Amino acid sequence: MAPPAPRRAFNDVVTRFWSFAAPAYDAQYLQHLVYRPAQDELIAALRAHRPARVADIACGTGILADRIERELQPEAVYGVDMSDGMLKAARERSPKVQWLTGPAEQLPFDDGALDAVVTSSAFHFFNQPAAVREFYRVLAPGGMAAVTAMSPRLPDPLKQLSGIRWNPAQQPTPSEMHALFTDAGFTVADQHRVKRPAWTLLVSDLITVGVKPSS
Ligand SMILES: C[S@@+](CC[C@H](N)C(=O)[O-])C[C@H]1O[C@@H](n2cnc3c(N)ncnc32)[C@H](O)[C@@H]1O
């Protein structure tokens, strides 16, 4: 089933931007400061769960999927992205990861085909309820989904008191993130802030780990 038209137009814009940005994306300072801490958290979550079949959704140039393959050596690792430019760089990075094209909301996997799904620094681009439901669909019972996402530090009660509703960048609060997971059927096993140096407090992201119940 094709995604609805407005979503397809948005996805086209996102895809074009990231194909254009792919050559700059791997700059060491950018990776080290912005992307690496979230990827470290996902590697730790995977290490604890020990899945056999893992997919990194919105894998970009493939840095995390390649790390998963080399550091954890599961049976199969997939990297999925919508952007041809990012996937071209990913294919050059590793012949061992299986690179696939597709949107997070319509993944190229059968029901129950995976044991873990992770995604890092891309959740704000997704149709979030649709993507989390899709993660649930492609996981086998007992499978794990781990998402790192930008999330405001303002506590929920303060947010309610202040009446702030403006959220153009789709940054869910911890409780909104929790609800996205439980609404899709997951049990939330862990949720905490990504550990970063104090001076990077402006980058405030959260890891949420959900497990698909076994029965
Ligand atoms: C900031 S990069 C993050 C890449 C990688 N996850 C990382 O941590 O380095 C965002 C990526 O999300 C991809 N993306 C955005 N929306 C997507 C969607 N709905 N489905 C699949 N990929 C998407 C873009 O093509 C881009 O490669």
Side-chain angles (χ1 to χ4, degrees):
M1 194 177 60
R7 185 73 210 167
R8 201 158 48 229
F10 177 73
N11 280 1
D12 284 350
V13 172
V14 171
T15 304
R16 271 202 297 277
F17 171 76
W18 283 108
S19 287
F20 169 76
Y25 188 75
D26 289 347
Q28 285 294 323
Y29 67 90
L30 183 67
Q31 283 301 321
H32 191 74
L33 294 183
V34 180
Y35 297 110
R36 175 99 187 184
Q39 295 170 356
D40 287 345
E41 296 272 2
L42 293 172
I43 293 272
L46 289 170
R47 204 182 286 285
H49 199 79
R50 305 184 69 80
R53 301 160 297 174
V54 186
D56 176 20
I57 312 303
C59 62
T61 59
I63 292 172
L64 175 61
D66 178 49
R67 279 188 66 190
I68 293 168
E69 194 282 318
R70 286 185 293 105
E71 295 177 28
L72 306 178
Q73 304 195 329
E75 277 170 26
V77 183
Y78 303 89
V80 182
D81 203 282
M82 290 192 314
S83 155
D84 290 338
M86 295 300 250
L87 281 173
K88 180 171 179 293
R91 288 195 178 94
E92 285 162 13
R93 185 182 303 283
S94 170
K96 294 187 178 164
V97 174
Q98 298 176 62
W99 306 106
L100 304 171
T101 305
E105 302 81 4
Q106 266 185 306
L107 292 172
F109 301 105
D110 292 337
D111 296 359
L114 300 172
D115 304 300
V117 169
V118 296
T119 186
S120 130
S121 308
F123 196 64
H124 48 286
F125 291 117
F126 298 171
N127 174 332
Q128 295 171 349
V132 179
R133 281 197 302 270
E134 190 67 347
F135 298 166
Y136 188 88
R137 180 188 71 75
V138 301
L139 285 173
M144 178 198 93
V147 174
T148 66
M150 298 302 293
S151 175
R153 281 187 178 270
L154 201 58
D156 291 359
L158 267 185
K159 199 178 162 198
Q160 276 157 19
L161 276 178
S162 67
I164 296 172
R165 290 282 177 272
W166 194 66
N167 189 10
Q170 288 206 90
Q171 300 184 1
T173 62
S175 62
E176 286 166 346
M177 200 68 188
H178 195 284
L180 279 168
F181 271 68
T182 52
D183 288 353
F186 286 105
T187 302
V188 174
D190 185 26
Q191 187 179 62
H192 61 265
R193 291 274 160 196
V194 170
K195 292 173 201 71
R196 291 180 179 274
W199 57 270
T200 57
L201 276 179
L202 277 179
V203 184
S204 185
D205 44 1
L206 186 76
I207 178 170
T208 305
V209 180
V211 175
K212 181 170 179 169
S214 294
S215 57

